[in-house]
Every structure is written in C-alpha cells, then in structure tokens.
Amino acid sequence: MRISWNWLTQYVEPGLTPQQAAAILTSTGLECESVELHEPIKGMLAGVVVGQVLECRKHPDADRLSVTLVDLGSGEPVQIVCGAPNVAAGQKVLVATVGANLCMTDGTCIIIKKSKIRGQESHGMICAEDELGLGQSHDGILVLDPTAVVGTPAAQHLGLHSDHVLEIGLTPNRTDALGHLGVARDLIAAQNHRTGATLELKLPDVSAFAQDDEARTVPVEVHDAKACPRYAGLMLTGIRVGPSPKWLQDRLLAIGLKPINNVVDVTNYVQHELGQPLHAFDADQLEGGRIVVRKAAAGEPFLTLDEKERTLDADDLVIADATKPACIAGVFGGLRSGVSDATTTVFLESACFEASTIRRTARRHALNTDASFRFERGVDPEITVYALKRAALLLKEVAGARISSSITDIDHTAKHRSEVHLKFADLERLAGLHIPADQVVHILELLDFRIRERNAQGLHVQVPAYRVDVHRPADVVEEVLRIHGYDHVPLPKHLQLPPVLHEALTLESLRAQVGHHLAARGLREVMTPSLVSGERVVKGGSHSAEQLVTLANALSAELDVLRPTMLPGLLGALAYNLNRQQRDLRFFERGRTYTKDGDRIVERETLGLVITGRRERESWRSDDAKSDLYDLKEELEVLLERLGLAELVHWEPLGHALLEKACTVLLKGRPVGLIGAVRKPALKAADVNQPVVFAELDEQALLDACHAQAVGFTEVPRFPSVRRDLSLLLEQGVRFEQLRKLAFNAERKLLREVGLFDVYQGDKLPAGKKSYALSFTLQDAERTLTDEQVDKAMGRIRQAFEKELGAELRR
C-alpha cells in the first residue's frame, strides 16, 4: 500500500517529518517498509530558472545557431548559444544555468557546463520540452507566457512539488488502512494518546452535495441481498471526459497509478482516499436503462475491459443491464459499458459486496484488481453513500457533471454493530502490563469504539463498522496495545529459567536435527508450493481422484489439489534448476502432504529427498559416475543411523506407478517411507531430462520410532574384531537385505556388521544367477575370538544361506 505524504496531510497536520510518521505508524502495526522521495521530474529542475531573451542574433560562423543575451533575474545578462529555430528576442524561456543537471524523458542526464560553440561562449542552455523531462517535443525551445517572472525557479513556475511515499506492508486483516483516511486515523490516535496532542481527522466535506435536476434516473434491482448487502448509485449527466487536472494526476502518480481520464481518475482517487471502490458505467450503453445485481447464468459470456471474453460461473455476481452483464461485481468492468471519450452520462456505483463471493470470483477468473483486493477483505458498509457523494462532487469539479438523480440506496446490511466484552484482567494477562482503565477507554474512543458499558471488571464496547476484523476480546486487546505502544511492554529484570537436563524430542527438534544433518551431507533445502495439479497426479497413477484433497476455490486448474506427495514440487525445483544449467542437484524439502481416507483428511509431516547428476563434484580426482538409487539409499541409512534407528530398518520391494525399483522403508515392520527411481514418463511430464532418484519419509513415524527406541551406552570394545568374506552365487531375485537378516538370525551373539562390497552379473555365470561378495565383522565384548569360534559362526551363516536361499559358495 503506497501512501502519499502530501495527500495524507490533507486529513491531518501531525507536525512530523515523513520519516517520523513512518516510525509511529510502524509501531501501531502499519509497518512502513520504506519512505521514498517522489519527484514528478527527477532533480526537480534544480538550476533551471525563468529567463528573458534580450537580444538574438545569428551566429557568425553557423547558419543554424543563434547567439542570445538572456536576463536570468540576478546579476548581469548571460550569453547563450541556441540552436532552436523559434528563439527570438523578448521571449520568456526556461534556462538551465551552468551546473544544472538535466534529466530527460529518455532517462539520460546531462550537466550544463560553460562552453564555446563555434568560437562563441555559451553560459547555459535555453531548453526545449524534452530536455526538461516535461514531454517529447524537440521542435523548438519552450516559450512561456509573457507574465512569467524572470528569475523564478522552474519548479516553482511550473507548480512542481516533490512528495514522500510511505510503502506500508499491510497485514490481511487491516482493510481499514487501505485508504489514506484509515492511515491518518491511526496516526492521529497514536499521537494524541502518546504525546497528548489534539489532532483531528479532517474528513472531506460533502455537505454541498445536492441534486441539480431530474434529467435521468436508472432503476436498480438487487436479486441477491446476501452477495450484495448494500448497493447505491446515482446518475450524472453533462460530463466532459478529458484529462484530469494536474493536482489529481499528481496524487495518482505519487502512489504509482497512471492517470486515464477525469472520470476513471476520480473513482481511483476516492478508492485510495476512503478505501471504498467505485465503478462508473456509461449509462447510454446500459440496455433497458436499468441496473440488475444478480448471479450470472452458468456459461454466460462476458467481454471484460482487457478485451478478453470470459465464461462466467453461476456463483459469479454481476452488475447487469436489462439483457446482459455490464460488470463482474467488485472485480472487473465490461468493455461495452466502460467510460470512453464519447461518454456524457455516467451511472456511478458504490456498493458493499460479500467478501467470500468476490474472493471466489477473483480467483476463478485469475483477476486481481484494486477493487477485488478490498472487497474480498471486507469494506465499511457505512461509507457507501458518503463515498458516492464525495465522487459526485469531485466529478462536478473536474468533469462538469450534473447530479441528475437522487441516490438509490438499497441497504440490507445488519444494523447492529459487533460488540465485545473486555475484562481488564484479560487485558493485563494478554498484554503483559497494566494499563489504567481510563487510558484504555481513551485509546478505544480514539479508534472510534463506543463504550456501551463500563464497570470495575471491564468494558462492553461497540466495534466501528470499518473494523471488520475485530470480533474477540483478544482483538480489542491488540487495538489497545498497538496504540499504547508495544515498546512500552516492560522486560523483567531477571529471566528465570528452570534447569533443563534433557529436552524431550519433539517434531520440531527432530526436523531441526534432520535438516542440519542433510545440509551437512551436501543437500540443499527447498520450499515448493503445496498446491499441485490434480489432473496430473491422477494421470501419473500414484493416487486416485478420491484420495485427493481438492480446493473448493482453486486458483487455477494447475493448482487445484493439496499435494499427496512431495515428488511434484521437488521435480519442479529440479526442472527450474536444470533449465539454468545446474545439472548436479541434491535437494530435500520438509512439509505436509494431504490425502483422503474416506471422509477423513490425513495430513502427514513429510520429508522428501531427490538426487540427480554426478555422484561427486567434477574434479580431476573424481570420475564422472552418476548418482543412482543406492546413493540415496545410503543417505537414508546414514540418516537413520544418526537417529539411532539403523538396526530397525528393513527394505521391502514395492510396486509404484511413479517409481521403479521402489522399496517401502520399514522400521520394526511399520512403513515410514519409500524410495525409488522416478520413471521416465513422470520425468518427462515435469520437464526433467535426466535420471532422478526420490525418497520420502513420514516424520511423525520417525519421531514415534525414536521415542520407542531406548538410548543405551556401551563401552568401547577392548578386544579386536575379525573380518571374514564370502563370495556367493545367488538367484537374481535375492536381495542384500534378505542376506543381512538371515546372517543376524543365524549368528546373534558375535556378528556385528554385514557389508556388500562387490556385485557381479555377466555371461560367465549361469543364467538367472548373480554373484555377491559379502563381508562379515565378528567381535566378542568379553574376550579375543579364536579361529574355532569364528569358523563355527561363519558355518552357521553359510548354512542359513544355503538352506533358505539356495546360495552356493564360490571358490
């Protein structure tokens, strides 16, 4: 939200600099992110003054140049060489003196220096329009009115005024501050309470509003009072559409709006003044001469101001004439009924629409306008007619309008304002300090709250209509505290913290541990949207439509369901980086996934990991091997070991629509995640052109496993370990996990570790066979192992392999 300081001071005279006001507003909750100097012309034409050409003669050595003598209003006249064909003696002109810095319309800047042009000294420059940044013309110098006073600074003569713009980062609830008056209201409240000042809000005067004639009226019908609780309008005739006056254009330009014409500019001005959107219809384009506020027919076509034809939904509210829509209510106007240069009669609308209706329509049609931004957050229903009067009077001033009808005001809003009961004890508890009751009352009255009842225990207050976000006692406490000042909340002299011997592992601390671990392992954390395309998920085959959590009000067809898995977002992050020549990527992301189980929505705290590209960074010391599924499996194993869960993990083959060579990750038989290589169709759909491996873990299941796992201490072994290797001929379908499990079942006492250090598959082996080379580490915590003990243990392991898996020992 951009606030013009010059505009703001129309409503309050705070006696502050813009920077001081920004600091106060920030302390009230209206965070000023920046204070910027706004100049209608860069540099404000410093060093440029009004001059008078006293003499003008041809340059002796150049046919197209003239040598002039110019009075600058101070000191002796100066000689200036000028190349403009229209320069003549007696003219009043704008002169850039020596040292002036001119910024032109094309963005270039020049510093005026004393110079010699074809042998003649020149002490400045007589300027054309484009050289001053005032326009595009370079046909000749800018000739002023003869009444211009010589020596007057150019900015003063042209009526140029600099401004400061406050960029306010509004929170979504503060719709009351979506206009200059709302910001002024907070500034006044803070100053009056904190300094004892007696500032007053200067509301624009609409007492002059009166009907000029009865030339034309437009009947209004509201068919949906819930979607449109209040609708007001009036007819204006005799309008002359044209450019807005300079003061109005300056106000809009300061806040970043481009002036269009006087009618549209007035509606924008009032919107940013009061926070109430308005809409102007060309009344001659309304068929049947009436206004109907209704829901659109399903599939009804509508041509909007941006010349796009949109298909309306049955839930869209429209402002229609007798036959067809003229405007999408609260969102966007129609091309047919918009104000043009030929418009002479305007129907001016001011309304209050239901926030949720406007929000759904704006999202459905991907339209985000200044009007929808305000309506979908809630506007003040009591300002509807006041804003209409304000705009009508401005249009009389700037467009010659005549008010040709009375105001039509169809009001179905609730006449009872929201009321809240606040206990002083609750205020002190929530605020963290004691604020005297009289100060509390004073603050609330400054914010337009009405005190309906007061006693020793608390207050019963009526909330102003423009504060649509205040419903609870906590909301009222926030209002009191932000005006009182958050910096007045005292810090205790001593912070007393109980000794903590051991912090219980929580989901947050587990996630922090996992994040630090993965980052240390070289993975980068990413954050991706939680919304994905339902059509793509169903087409991929990982989830059915019944399992997806669909948004009632989707932003678009591409973002219509909550993600059931972390894979789409991570693939999107990979694609983004791959398209920017980043080929070796290792990402992880933490977030929630969502699925439906019947009528129940299941949310899971999930960790996703993806790896693609080289296994190691390119170097003369490393080969060009690519990452594969076993690299990611190793990452999971190291992570589970870090959490003390390595001994519990088991890998079970899994059929998966998006992953090949997929496995379920189990801890003590409980599924906690999956791992696999992403299939090529899924990669192609995500615009990823190289192999990717993916894993996903349920963080809550990891936490449960950590809680169930007792942490114990074992002394560092005093006796040496022994290693033995076996080379086995196995069936193709045998997995290392099966071998590892069998080995530990066969030798529970001495076996400490099983490793796979070589795999061979080739034509030198029988068909359907493969060779695994396994290492076995054995150790006794109480004595040194003998060869006999080791041989017996290895014999039991070998027998288990032969009996259960048909393994053959390779010699």
Side-chain angles (χ1 to χ4, degrees):
M1 178 71 186
R2 291 173 64 87
I3 296 295
S4 159
W5 179 250
N6 291 347
W7 192 348
L8 186 70
T9 52
Q10 286 183 207
Y11 315 116
V12 58
E13 297 176 2
L16 302 168
T17 65
Q19 291 75 16
Q20 290 171 331
I24 292 170
L25 289 170
T26 297
S27 72
T28 69
L30 298 181
E31 182 182 0
C32 286
E33 298 172 346
S34 64
V35 179
E36 300 172 1
L37 178 64
H38 171 76
E39 295 176 329
I41 295 176
K42 187 177 179 181
M44 293 295 288
L45 301 181
V48 181
V49 298
V50 174
Q52 183 172 14
V53 181
L54 302 179
E55 299 177 7
C56 181
R57 56 187 174 83
K58 289 292 183 183
H59 193 292
D61 297 321
D63 293 339
R64 296 186 180 183
L65 298 179
S66 300
V67 180
T68 65
L69 190 66
V70 183
D71 179 12
L72 300 180
S74 61
E76 295 295 322
V78 298
Q79 178 173 293
I80 298 175
V81 177
C82 180
N86 63 329
V87 65
Q91 291 174 334
K92 299 286 182 69
V93 293
L94 289 177
V95 179
T97 59
V98 174
N101 187 8
L102 296 184
C103 296
M104 305 183 189
T105 52
D106 63 0
T108 59
C109 295
I110 58 171
I111 297 176
I112 304 302
K113 299 178 181 179
K114 178 182 175 181
S115 61
K116 270 192 176 183
I117 303 175
R118 296 287 183 92
Q120 298 291 318
E121 287 191 355
S122 184
H123 299 264
M125 183 171 75
I126 304 175
C127 300
E129 185 179 283
D130 65 331
E131 293 166 335
L132 296 169
L134 297 173
Q136 303 296 328
S137 174
H138 194 70
D139 295 336
I141 59 171
L142 183 63
V143 180
L144 306 179
D145 189 271
T147 60
V149 179
V150 174
T152 304
Q156 180 181 335
H157 173 77
L158 297 171
L160 301 178
H161 300 284
S162 62
D163 196 357
H164 284 83
V165 176
L166 283 62
E167 187 76 41
I168 297 180
L170 279 181
T171 52
N173 63 308
R174 291 302 306 276
T175 56
D176 62 297
L178 282 169
H180 283 70
L181 273 174
V183 175
R185 188 186 294 119
D186 265 19
L187 186 58
I188 290 170
Q191 278 292 85
N192 286 358
H193 173 70
R194 298 176 188 178
T195 68
T198 56
L199 303 178
E200 293 184 1
L201 185 65
K202 300 176 183 178
L203 287 170
D205 184 12
V206 296
S207 60
F209 179 86
Q211 186 173 340
D212 295 312
D213 55 49
E214 297 182 359
R216 191 166 175 182
T217 60
V218 172
V220 176
E221 303 172 21
V222 177
H223 292 177
D224 193 329
K226 181 176 182 294
C228 179
R230 190 167 191 181
Y231 191 91
L234 58 80
M235 284 293 300
L236 300 168
T237 58
I239 285 179
R240 296 184 298 276
V241 176
S244 296
K246 186 177 181 304
W247 69 265
L248 180 51
Q249 293 193 37
D250 287 346
R251 290 286 185 261
L252 298 179
L253 287 169
I255 61 172
L257 294 183
K258 181 181 177 181
I260 298 173
N261 60 54
N262 46 8
V263 177
V264 175
D265 291 350
V266 163
T267 62
N268 284 332
Y269 179 86
V270 173
Q271 176 174 258
H272 286 270
E273 177 184 55
L274 305 179
Q276 170 65 48
L278 304 173
H279 191 73
F281 298 90
D282 186 333
D284 293 330
Q285 303 301 319
L286 298 175
E287 295 186 19
R290 64 191 179 109
I291 289 287
V292 181
V293 184
R294 62 172 175 84
K295 287 292 180 68
E300 190 171 10
F302 179 62
L303 188 64
T304 48
L305 278 170
D306 56 0
E307 300 184 7
K308 291 183 180 179
E309 184 167 296
R310 303 177 188 273
T311 302
L312 300 179
D313 186 88
D315 193 43
D316 293 336
L317 187 70
V318 297
I319 313 301
D321 56 23
T323 61
K324 61 184 70 137
C327 173
I328 301 177
V331 180
F332 211 32
L335 185 63
R336 178 176 58 89
S337 62
V339 172
S340 67
D341 292 343
T343 299
T344 58
T345 306
V346 163
F347 178 78
L348 189 62
E349 164 197 286
S350 178
C352 178
F353 301 114
E354 183 194 34
S356 59
T357 297
I358 302 304
R359 188 181 303 114
R360 287 194 297 269
T361 295
R363 298 295 178 271
R364 186 179 299 115
H365 296 289
L367 291 169
N368 183 23
T369 62
D370 282 347
S372 68
F373 186 83
R374 287 160 174 77
F375 280 127
E376 65 189 43
R377 286 160 175 77
V379 298
D380 180 4
E382 295 185 0
I383 207 173
T384 307
V385 171
Y386 175 78
L388 197 63
K389 291 180 178 180
R390 170 69 168 154
L393 290 174
L394 286 172
L395 286 171
K396 288 187 70 171
E397 175 186 341
V398 305
R402 294 181 60 79
I403 301 173
S404 296
S405 74
S406 60
I407 292 177
T408 299
D409 182 18
I410 302 175
D411 187 3
H412 296 285
T413 57
K415 300 301 181 285
H416 180 71
R417 291 185 184 177
S418 175
E419 295 188 359
V420 177
H421 185 73
L422 173 66
K423 294 180 180 179
F424 293 133
D426 290 342
L427 187 150
E428 187 167 342
R429 176 177 57 83
L430 291 172
L433 78 164
H434 172 72
I435 304 175
D438 288 343
Q439 289 190 29
V440 174
V441 170
H442 182 240
I443 291 172
L444 292 175
E445 287 178 340
L446 286 172
L447 294 173
D448 294 338
F449 286 76
R450 289 186 182 178
I451 310 301
R452 308 292 288 180
E453 184 181 344
R454 174 181 175 179
N455 55 40
Q457 284 71 44
L459 303 171
H460 195 75
V461 299
Q462 186 181 70
V463 181
Y466 59 78
R467 290 310 303 270
V468 296
D469 59 316
V470 177
H471 305 287
R472 309 166 300 161
D475 299 331
V476 180
V477 172
E478 181 183 359
E479 292 301 295
V480 172
L481 192 55
R482 69 184 186 83
I483 299 301
H484 183 72
Y486 290 110
D487 51 347
H488 291 160
V489 178
L491 288 173
K493 293 182 179 179
H494 302 285
L495 292 176
Q496 298 180 351
L497 299 174
V500 178
L501 300 178
H502 172 69
E503 288 188 7
L505 187 66
T506 64
L507 188 59
E508 289 73 19
S509 59
L510 174 68
R511 297 183 79 187
Q513 286 185 31
V514 170
H516 291 319
H517 170 83
L518 293 175
R521 294 282 298 178
L523 281 82
R524 295 178 181 270
E525 183 171 11
V526 297
M527 295 178 67
T528 66
S530 58
L531 298 177
V532 297
S533 168
E535 182 181 355
R536 289 189 181 181
V537 172
V538 173
K539 188 176 179 180
S542 63
H543 295 80
S544 66
E546 292 74 22
Q547 293 176 293
L548 301 181
V549 180
T550 306
L551 270 66
N553 230 351
L555 293 170
S556 71
E558 291 295 309
L559 301 169
D560 60 340
V561 302
L562 292 168
R563 61 186 174 200
T565 170
M566 304 297 286
L567 183 58
L570 286 168
L571 287 178
L574 290 179
Y576 182 88
N577 285 271
L578 289 169
N579 288 336
R580 287 155 181 80
Q581 290 80 49
Q582 302 298 314
R583 314 302 298 179
D584 308 319
L585 303 167
R586 298 162 65 87
F587 290 160
F588 74 95
E589 181 179 14
R590 297 171 291 186
R592 291 183 179 178
T593 55
Y594 308 81
T595 53
K596 287 178 71 174
D597 183 6
D599 294 330
R600 187 170 66 96
I601 294 178
V602 180
E603 297 184 27
R604 289 188 177 89
E605 297 289 347
T606 306
L607 169 69
L609 303 94
V610 287
I611 297 178
T612 187
R614 291 187 186 91
R615 179 172 293 144
E616 297 180 13
R617 182 177 296 181
E618 187 176 20
S619 168
W620 64 272
R621 295 184 300 130
S622 62
D623 59 21
D624 199 37
K626 305 299 182 184
S627 299
D628 58 23
L629 187 59
Y630 300 102
D631 293 305
L632 185 55
K633 182 173 181 285
E634 181 183 3
E635 290 296 340
L636 294 190
E637 288 173 339
V638 174
L639 172 61
L640 294 172
E641 184 178 3
R642 169 71 178 79
L643 298 175
L645 304 174
E647 299 300 322
L648 310 179
V649 68
H650 177 59
W651 312 85
E652 192 70 40
L654 167 72
H656 196 281
L658 298 178
L659 305 174
E660 57 188 6
K661 300 181 181 177
C663 284
T664 301
V665 184
L666 301 104
L667 292 176
K668 278 192 173 179
R670 176 185 175 183
V672 297
L674 55 83
I675 183 173
V678 183
R679 296 184 186 275
K680 289 184 179 179
L683 294 176
K684 184 177 180 181
D687 195 26
V688 174
N689 57 7
Q690 63 186 49
V692 175
V693 290
F694 167 75
E696 194 169 71
L697 296 175
D698 183 335
E699 291 183 317
Q700 184 61 52
L702 289 181
L703 179 65
D704 294 343
C706 290
H707 284 161
Q709 182 74 349
V711 178
F713 167 78
T714 56
E715 187 180 357
V716 176
R718 291 181 295 164
F719 301 97
S721 61
V722 176
R723 169 172 165 159
R724 290 287 189 270
D725 297 341
L726 289 179
S727 181
L728 302 174
L729 188 64
L730 302 163
E731 296 291 335
Q732 284 283 1
V734 175
R735 295 177 292 110
F736 170 70
E737 180 65 25
Q738 294 173 273
L739 295 166
R740 183 179 181 276
K741 188 175 181 180
L742 274 174
F744 276 106
N745 286 337
E747 181 51 58
R748 298 176 183 271
K749 182 180 179 182
L750 301 180
L751 186 60
R752 296 290 178 262
E753 189 176 338
V754 180
L756 174 64
F757 64 88
D758 187 48
V759 176
Y760 176 72
Q761 294 171 288
D763 54 8
K764 294 182 180 180
L765 296 179
K769 297 286 186 176
K770 64 182 177 181
S771 174
Y772 274 7
L774 304 177
S775 65
F776 301 86
T777 303
L778 300 99
Q779 188 176 40
D780 192 326
E782 298 178 356
R783 61 182 61 87
T784 300
L785 289 173
T786 65
D787 288 342
E788 183 180 359
Q789 287 177 297
V790 173
D791 291 342
K792 286 183 178 180
M794 291 304 299
R796 288 190 289 269
I797 293 171
R798 188 169 59 251
Q799 288 174 10
F801 290 164
E802 293 170 350
K803 180 179 179 182
E804 299 294 333
L805 301 175
E808 298 178 37
L809 188 65
R810 295 189 69 196
R811 301 293 181 180

